[in-house]
Amino acid sequence: MSKRNPIRFTLLIWTTFLCLGCEAESEDFPILFKSSSKLLEPYGLCTHINRKGEGWEFDCKDKDMEMTREAGANFVRTDFDWGYCKPQEDKPFSFIHHQEMMNVVDSQHLKALGILSPVWNNRYTQWLDYVGMTVRTFKRQVKYWEVINEADRWHLRDSDFKPSDYVRIIRKAYPLIKKENKSAKVLFTSITDVRGNFFEEVLDSGVADCCDIMNFHLYVNLKTEPEYLFKYFKDAKSVMDKYGIRKPVWFTETGCTSAKGYADEDTQAKRLPRTFLISLACGMEKVFWYKTRAAERTDHFEDHFGIWHKNGSPKPAFYAYKTLTRMCPSGSTRPRIARLRDVYVAKWKDPASQNVTAIWTSKGECKIKFHAYQGKLYDLSGSQLTIDSDEILVTPSILYFVGKKSLIVNRFDE
């Protein structure tokens, strides 16, 4: 193709996205994991409504869950901390605190992913009592249990913790959870380093049979743009394939802090929908963003992950989340994504069978021309834009095209 000619391509629905004269600069991203063809309640938010005190959400749990529902989330992920239910002297386990928490979750018609606390000081017998009592007590309200958060990082808190310790934990916990609630689903610990020794050592023990759902974490902070997830999930699949594991996969913690030196609030908002769409397109059944309310106690990066401020006012990321859940709600077909150069195009059908196309770049900007599109155009925050020409500027701030027919892109400006 002559360099003087524009690169022409057509975006088709669900099958081949790009018909290109320059294949080396294009890529179609496949679904990597065992997954449903349509999305089923895929949106989650992580919250600390389980914990009291400044910086935590228990004391503002009603507002926290109200805004979670308003954002369009289907699930919340929270800890069932040992410290709030453990026996005191001659008194038995008490779940009054956790029940109060779950009543608020129920009031907003949200579902819960519960995180079970880790074992402390090798007290396995007492820990198993805690697991059994917790699952039994919340049998009606909680159908999904994650056996310890980020066990592959637990050695940072307990230098003696080894992969074999997690093998012992999950082997004891899995049958106990099933005994107390046969319909419950057990999530593997959330893995943060898919190429780390911990992940392979644990899987090599055959312990993957002791879970129903695999589970990963990765944050899109600093220079880690959401598009890195394509490689991360591909690496995760490679390890799972090595051990013959074909299970549903959840992405239960991801996020971007808006702390100074990491990313501003606008960047946080831009990365959020791209993270969700990429994860869903790769086959994640559910994706959880960390987190609901920002603690904002200090300038530390941990205090600025929320999608709304400490006082409850929304950050741009809140509107980005709300727009995404409106554009691609539960019941939509699973997004498919293609790339040409640095432009990404995601396509799906919403439950009303409207075609939705999302377009963005991972960095920089690019002008595209499209063919006689008859539909509506929305920006990151859900504002409708006027389509007054056949040319538009694509940036890392996602654009949504919604209409009866799929968007056809005619040309990239050279």
Side-chain angles (χ1 to χ4, degrees):
M1 177 180 289
S2 168
K3 292 183 179 179
R4 296 181 181 179
N5 294 333
I7 297 176
R8 296 183 178 276
F9 71 105
T10 303
L11 295 172
L12 304 179
I13 306 174
W14 321 129
T15 55
T16 305
F17 275 82
L18 304 174
C19 298
L20 302 167
C22 188
E23 294 182 2
E25 297 185 27
S26 68
E27 185 175 6
D28 290 352
F29 297 99
I31 298 173
L32 298 172
F33 303 101
K34 177 182 178 182
S35 55
S36 59
S37 60
K38 288 189 177 182
L39 304 179
L40 179 61
E41 299 180 321
Y43 297 107
L45 281 171
C46 299
T47 179
H48 290 299
I49 57 166
N50 55 308
R51 294 175 187 167
K52 296 180 179 180
E54 184 184 7
W56 308 117
E57 282 69 68
F58 184 84
D59 297 329
C60 60
K61 56 187 175 299
D62 293 278
K63 178 67 172 177
D64 201 66
M65 292 298 95
E66 179 183 335
M67 291 192 70
T68 297
R69 169 52 66 186
E70 183 183 345
N74 312 115
F75 273 80
V76 294
R77 175 177 177 264
T78 192
D79 297 87
F80 281 69
D81 287 319
W82 159 262
Y84 287 106
C85 67
K86 65 182 180 180
Q88 300 289 339
E89 298 179 352
D90 59 341
K91 295 180 181 180
F93 283 94
S94 173
F95 292 97
I96 295 174
H97 174 84
H98 291 130
Q99 189 62 69
E100 189 175 345
M101 171 186 80
M102 283 305 304
N103 288 343
V104 179
V105 174
D106 286 350
S107 72
Q108 292 297 328
H109 307 290
L110 295 162
K111 296 183 179 180
L113 166 58
I115 309 170
L116 294 168
S117 292
V119 180
W120 287 98
N121 300 322
N122 292 317
R123 296 179 180 176
Y124 282 94
T125 300
Q126 194 174 35
W127 182 77
L128 288 171
D129 290 341
Y130 150 76
V131 171
M133 287 289 292
T134 302
V135 174
R136 186 186 319 150
T137 301
F138 297 97
K139 180 177 181 179
R140 182 185 63 82
Q141 295 171 295
V142 184
K143 304 297 184 183
Y144 301 91
W145 293 101
E146 180 177 338
V147 182
I148 300 183
N149 175 60
E150 298 183 355
D152 64 342
R153 291 174 54 84
W154 199 248
H155 68 278
L156 299 176
R157 302 183 186 184
D158 181 354
S159 59
D160 293 329
F161 188 83
K162 297 177 176 59
S164 58
D165 294 315
Y166 188 72
V167 171
R168 180 182 179 185
I169 289 169
I170 193 72
R171 280 185 172 157
K172 289 179 177 292
Y174 183 77
L176 179 56
I177 293 171
K178 293 293 186 177
K179 176 184 176 182
E180 298 295 347
N181 183 0
K182 63 181 181 181
S183 65
K185 299 296 183 183
V186 178
L187 276 75
F188 204 66
T189 186
S190 34
I191 297 295
T192 65
D193 182 1
V194 298
R195 287 297 187 183
N197 292 333
F198 181 95
F199 191 30
E200 292 230 26
E201 284 188 42
V202 170
L203 293 184
D204 192 49
S205 72
V207 79
D209 290 338
C210 293
C211 76
D212 303 300
I213 299 167
M214 297 303 291
N215 180 14
F216 298 106
H217 286 183
L218 185 74
Y219 280 76
V220 287
N221 279 320
L222 294 173
K223 295 181 180 180
T224 303
E225 297 288 353
E227 290 70 31
Y228 175 72
L229 289 170
F230 288 118
K231 180 183 184 305
Y232 187 75
F233 292 143
K234 187 176 180 180
D235 288 345
K237 182 180 186 300
S238 177
V239 176
M240 288 173 61
D241 285 349
K242 179 178 177 180
Y243 294 95
I245 301 169
R246 282 187 54 80
K247 294 177 182 286
V249 183
W250 289 17
F251 195 32
T252 64
E253 196 173 309
T254 183
C256 176
T257 181
S258 59
K260 185 177 180 180
Y262 284 81
D264 57 26
E265 290 185 10
D266 287 337
T267 299
Q268 181 189 49
K270 291 173 185 177
R271 289 178 176 177
L272 187 151
R274 289 153 53 196
T275 299
F276 274 86
L277 289 175
I278 290 168
S279 302
L280 295 173
C282 287
M284 296 290 140
E285 292 287 9
K286 304 190 191 300
V287 182
F288 292 73
W289 187 265
Y290 185 85
K291 62 190 211 54
T292 54
R293 189 184 72 138
E296 296 177 339
R297 294 167 295 188
T298 68
D299 291 333
H300 192 271
F301 75 97
E302 285 281 0
D303 280 355
H304 298 272
F305 274 105
I307 62 173
W308 54 84
H309 293 287
K310 184 178 181 179
N311 65 6
S313 61
K315 295 164 72 173
F318 174 83
Y319 296 110
Y321 194 110
K322 187 174 181 179
T323 300
L324 174 65
T325 60
R326 179 163 62 92
M327 294 294 165
C328 187
S330 179
S332 300
T333 57
R334 186 169 296 279
R336 299 297 303 272
I337 297 179
R339 175 189 64 84
L340 177 63
R341 297 180 180 174
D342 200 40
V343 175
Y344 293 82
V345 182
K347 285 179 174 283
W348 64 91
K349 284 183 181 286
D350 69 15
S353 294
Q354 291 191 109
N355 288 288
V356 186
T357 303
I359 299 182
W360 71 90
T361 63
S362 64
K363 56 185 177 181
E365 57 187 38
C366 179
K367 286 185 178 181
I368 63 170
K369 288 186 179 291
F370 50 90
H371 175 68
Y373 183 70
Q374 295 182 342
K376 296 179 180 179
L377 172 63
Y378 299 90
D379 67 11
L380 176 76
S381 63
S383 297
Q384 186 173 347
L385 305 177
T386 301
I387 303 176
D388 54 8
S389 74
D390 63 351
E391 182 179 89
I392 199 163
L393 185 67
V394 183
T395 72
S397 186
I398 202 165
L399 294 171
Y400 300 96
F401 293 81
V402 183
K404 291 182 179 180
K405 294 184 178 180
S406 186
L407 179 72
I408 297 176
V409 178
N410 289 335
R411 178 166 69 84
F412 282 81
D413 277 6
E414 292 286 355

